[in-house]
Every structure is written in structure tokens, then in C-alpha cells.
Amino acid sequence: MFPRVAAVRADVGLAAALGALQTLALVHTWAWPLQLLCVIWLAARVRSATPRRAALLGAVFGTAWFATSTWWLFISMHRYGGLAAPLAAIAVLLLALALAAFLALALAVFARARRGPPVVDAALFAVAWGAAELARGLVFSGFPWGASGYAQVDGPLAVWAPWIGVYGVGMLAAGSAALLAFCGEAWFAVMLRRGPTDAAPAVRRAARQAVLPALIGGVALWLLPDAIGPIDFTQPTRTLQVTLLQTNVAQDQKFAAEHLPAALAWVAGALTEAGGDLVIAPETAVPLLPAQLEEFDPAYWPALRAHFEGAGRPAALIGVPLGDLAASDYSNSVVGLGGRTPYRYDKVHLVPFGEFIPLGFRWFTNLMNIPLGDFTRGEPNAPSFVTAGERIAPNICYEDLFGEELALRFRHDETAPTVLANVSNIGWFGDTIAVPQHLNMSRMRTLELQRPMLRSTNTGATAIVDHRGQVTAQLRPFTRGVLVGPVQGRAGRTPYAAWVARIGLWPLLLAAWGLLIILAAQPRR
């Protein structure tokens, strides 16, 4: 009994260590091989485990993965929300446990559904992995932060992003890891086989014939696309000269009356001094609702509007809340000035606990001293902001985690955006890994949709990303500054944009879980 307990403890410890280690590849994408090694171990252990043991390993691996990916939520709750440190740490841990439940369940079903042949089981492991990630990204409004496919932004599998998106890339990586684990296991089991029978050479020959093609196919999956190079499904349009603002206002000063005059004056000055074709200010760069801004400085907004309506001026996209606080009808928005028509974009995918309070959790948000509330959702598939012949599609902060929702704007070529623009404020989370993680997510969107992404943020990462996911210009995070540079628009659609815009991801989620459950219900031979 005691050796068995020790083995379980060793597995649990390794699962926690490797789950946490995987996060390194989501921050520093050059470390993508590290993620592959972590999943190789998990796949090998789960394949030989009972469903209960597989669920335990998935829960521990996933909890460590998601806790280390989102630990910065502690800062927003404790430093800025005033929640006691133990309660904030427990909240992060409970969130990670809840997110890991999808992986635990998927691996338990895989352990029951596995068929035996290494190639088949590797494919089933990929399906289980994808089922867990899709469920995490879609169910209960979704929280896909730290999806495994982001580790491949600079890896060989990035070339598959325009075809299958981040979840497909994550499935390919997981399936490849499982294939290496299972085929290697089978190879060594047969090659090390001892016995005097004449059948042994035939068994080893059969093993070579079965395993080698699978390994060669797995290697080709990684190496051939990179050798061929990326395929451009889109065509260049025109080049815009853009200006991106990084306000660098500390979160505990953003709404403080004594700091507002200086912050608003800097934003107005940077906006009006900008040249080129387009200037973008980050999420809530003007942090006051219209009535509050009118009371604070009646001339502020009319002056900005008059400036950008003048001849020869660039157009502007400015992050600002809109609506009426007294009527509980307000939105996190972007206003366009200087375009052909008045423009407003309201955030569609709201952040749970930050911009809407899930049913039954108001008691939790009441524990924190953060201006939380229930924002009004915008309309899906919003039109683009048109300027200088280009269609600019804004998205606000957290929204660029949801590539399938951005793809809804690509249903028709004639209205599809030519440039994406993300305005963000993740100052809530301090100087942490949230900044490079969010940049990598934007980079994945550019790979999926083959559109450049303009990122104007409060504290970083303010950057210009081209349609192949390469950062062409970037400001140093946590500094106040202005980034000026060119961006080339793109027209056309990737295969991912075409199929996701039509069917979405829910059919894939249901198909993946359906297949696993059907196989798990069948007796294994």
C-alpha cells in the first residue's frame, strides 16, 4: 500500500510542477518545446491510468497551469480591491480548480475511451485535450486565457493557425506529444522484449512497421509546413500611418479626482498633436461618463470633436465609457472621430466579475473596493470604423481572446475589416506576465485572420503587429509614450475566418465530447 501511495504522491507532484512549467511557454514563446515535454509526460501517465487517476492528474496539472497563468488576478483583488490576501489567493486557486475541472473530466473520459493502438489513442488524446479547451473557452461565457495553442505563436505549428485557429493548434501539439509518448512506449516495450521464441523478431519487425510511419507522420506535421512556409490567404490594401498612445496611468490613480486633470490633459494633447491617418487612445483613456466629463470640463469633448472634424486631420479611436450611471445603462466603448459617419463601438464580450457580476456572486464583489458593475453589452458583429479607405475593427481588452467572435466580422468580403485594433487597460494586474501573455494572444489573432493588429494600451503592450504575427514596433511597457509607425491593411479571408464565421465553435465542442462519451461507453477489447 505504501509504495502505491508514494507513487501517487510522486505523480501528483510532477503533474503540479509540469503544469506550472507549461506557463513559461505561454509567456516566452521561444520555450514551446518545453510545453511539448510537459504534455508528453501527462499523456504517458494518463494512458496507463484508471479514469479516477487520470482525473486526478488532469485536475492537478490543470490547476497548476491555470493558477500560474492567472496569478496576477491576486493583484487586482488584493492591491486594488482591498480583499484580504488569503481570500484573494483562495479566489485565484478556486478559479484555477474550476477551469481545471474541464481537463480532469476530459482525461477521465479518455482513460475510459482509449482503444489500444498508439496512433488511435494519440488522436483520442488530442480530441480530449481540444474538448477541454473548447469547453473552457465557451461554457459560462468562457475564460480561455492561457490556452495551450498560444505557446506555438513562434513555434512550427503556427503555420496551421490560419486553418484551424488556436484550439486546433493546441490539439495538434497535444496529439503530437501523445503520439511521441505512446509510440515511444510501444517501441521500447517491444524492443526490450526478451524471450527464446522464434516469434520475437517478427514481433519487433511488426512494431517497427507500425510505429515508424506514425513517428514519421508526426515529425512531418511539425517540419513540413515550416519548410514550405506560411501561405498568404489575404492581399495587401493600403498602408496607413498610425499613432498609438500609451497613457501609463496607475490603476489606483485612474479615477482619483486629484490625478484626472493631468491625465486628461496629456490624452488631449497627444491626440491633437498626432499626424498621419489614424490615432488610437487606449481603453477608458477618458475614464468619465459623458455627464461626469461635462461636469468636470464642459469644453473637453467638444474641443476634441472639433479638432478631428477639421480638414487634413487624422481620424481617431478613443476608449471612453458611455451611457447613464443613474439609469444603470452604461457601456465600455470606443468612439470614432473624423470618420465618414459618427462611430461608436460597445464592448460585446464582458469580463465576469469585472464588467458583469455572475448570478449569485454579488456578495463576493461587495467584498472589494473596486468600481464594478453590470455594463450593457454591445451588438455582435459590429461594423468597422472606415477611414482612409480602410475598415478598422475595434475590440476592447479581453475581447481579443475570442478569435471566433472576431471572425464573425468576416462573413462578407465587402464588409470584412482590413485592420484590427485592440484598446486595453490591464493596469489592474501590475507589472506581471499578463502583459506579454496578452500580446501573444493578439499575435495569434493576426495569424488566424491574417490581419494586422494595432494595440493601444494603458500600461502595455502597445504595439503594431503585422498579419503574420510579427511585432514591427512596440513601446516599452509601463512608460508613457506615443508609438508612430506604418501598418498595411489586408483584404480576403483565411480558411479559419471563413468556416468559423459560418458555424462557430459550438459544433466542434459538441462533436468532441460526443465522440469521447460514445467511445467511453463501448467495451474495450
Side-chain angles (χ1 to χ4, degrees), residues 5 8 57-58 63 107 157 217 242 301 321 331 334 427 465 506 522:
V5 171
V8 172
L57 292 176
T63 299
L107 293 186
L157 295 184
V242 298
W301 196 256
S331 60
V334 172
V465 186
W506 278 98
Q522 302 297 316

Side-chain angles (χ1 to χ4, degrees), residues 121-389:
D121 280 357
L124 285 178
F125 184 86
V127 171
W129 188 273
E133 294 225 86
L134 283 166
R136 184 165 66 90
L138 296 174
V139 175
F140 303 126
S141 87
F143 190 77
W145 190 282
S148 61
Y150 291 117
Q152 286 294 322
V153 166
D154 290 310
L157 295 184
V159 295
W160 294 102
W163 298 86
I164 55 179
V166 67
Y167 296 116
V169 169
M171 288 176 66
L172 285 182
S176 301
L179 187 66
L180 287 171
F182 302 163
C183 287
E185 199 174 55
W187 176 274
F188 284 109
V190 174
M191 292 300 106
L192 296 178
R193 185 172 178 171
R194 295 289 182 264
T197 67
D198 293 336
V203 170
R204 286 196 287 269
R205 186 165 55 252
R208 285 195 296 269
Q209 292 172 351
V211 172
L212 280 177
L215 289 176
I216 291 171
V219 171
L221 182 72
W222 286 76
L223 299 184
L224 282 182
D226 194 51
I228 296 171
I231 300 173
D232 276 339
F233 296 98
T234 59
Q235 306 79 42
T237 54
R238 64 162 296 181
T239 298
L240 300 179
Q241 191 73 9
V242 298
T243 302
L244 309 178
L245 309 189
Q246 184 168 283
T247 47
N248 195 38
V249 178
Q251 196 57 47
D252 53 1
Q253 299 177 6
K254 193 168 183 66
F255 303 100
E258 63 271 24
H259 296 287
L260 274 173
L264 287 173
W266 187 87
V267 169
L271 285 170
T272 55
E273 290 169 9
D277 300 294
L278 177 67
V279 55
I280 305 178
E283 178 185 14
T284 60
V286 178
L288 301 176
L289 288 163
Q292 296 170 327
L293 185 60
E294 174 74 18
E295 182 179 347
F296 183 82
D297 183 354
Y300 190 88
W301 196 256
L304 282 179
R305 188 180 296 277
H307 172 82
F308 287 104
E309 288 176 352
R313 304 283 170 73
L317 289 170
I318 305 168
V320 57
L322 296 176
D324 186 351
L325 187 63
S328 297
D329 181 16
Y330 43 90
S331 60
N332 190 353
S333 304
V334 172
V335 169
L337 301 178
R340 295 187 304 191
T341 57
Y343 183 81
R344 167 180 173 173
Y345 171 78
D346 297 333
K347 190 174 184 180
V348 179
H349 201 121
L350 304 179
V351 181
F353 299 103
E355 293 167 327
F356 80 94
I357 301 171
L359 184 65
F361 281 91
R362 191 167 293 275
W363 63 270
F364 176 71
T365 59
N366 288 341
L367 294 175
M368 293 182 286
N369 184 30
I370 294 178
L372 302 175
D374 287 311
F375 284 72
T376 301
R377 297 178 189 272
E379 291 295 324
N381 195 15
S384 298
F385 177 65
V386 180
T387 183

Side-chain angles (χ1 to χ4, degrees), residues 108-115 513-524:
V109 176
F110 163 76
R112 182 68 184 82
R114 63 184 187 268
R115 302 286 95 183
W513 281 102
L515 174 64
L516 290 172
I517 291 170
I518 290 171
L519 291 177
Q522 302 297 316
R524 285 203 307 271

Side-chain angles (χ1 to χ4, degrees), residues 335-503:
V335 169
L337 301 178
R340 295 187 304 191
T341 57
Y343 183 81
R344 167 180 173 173
Y345 171 78
D346 297 333
K347 190 174 184 180
V348 179
H349 201 121
L350 304 179
V351 181
F353 299 103
E355 293 167 327
F356 80 94
I357 301 171
L359 184 65
F361 281 91
R362 191 167 293 275
W363 63 270
F364 176 71
T365 59
N366 288 341
L367 294 175
M368 293 182 286
N369 184 30
I370 294 178
L372 302 175
D374 287 311
F375 284 72
T376 301
R377 297 178 189 272
E379 291 295 324
N381 195 15
S384 298
F385 177 65
V386 180
T387 183
E390 297 297 303
R391 296 182 293 273
I392 318 297
N395 58 88
I396 300 176
C397 198
Y398 179 72
E399 288 187 304
D400 70 345
L401 274 68
F402 299 88
E404 69 277 11
E405 295 181 3
L406 297 186
L408 291 176
R409 307 184 194 186
F410 289 78
R411 284 180 177 170
H412 307 289
D413 283 333
E414 61 273 15
T415 59
T418 57
V419 177
L420 302 173
N422 178 266
V423 297
S424 294
N425 172 31
I426 54 176
W428 290 104
F429 312 123
D431 187 357
T432 65
I433 61 172
V435 173
Q437 280 180 299
H438 199 200
L439 176 60
N440 288 334
M441 292 170 195
S442 284
R443 294 177 63 200
M444 179 59 76
R445 299 292 85 80
T446 69
L447 292 171
E448 291 172 340
L449 303 170
Q450 288 195 353
R451 290 296 191 276
M453 180 80 80
L454 303 173
R455 291 179 48 84
S456 176
T457 71
N458 177 19
T459 55
T462 296
I464 300 173
V465 186
D466 69 15
H467 71 289
R468 289 186 174 173
Q470 299 303 307
V471 177
T472 60
Q474 180 179 354
L475 288 178
R476 187 162 61 91
F478 300 96
T479 59
R480 175 173 286 180
V482 174
L483 180 65
V484 179
V487 62
Q488 185 181 71
R490 307 287 296 187
R493 285 183 293 176
T494 62
Y496 174 81
W499 67 260
V500 172
R502 285 175 170 78
I503 68 171

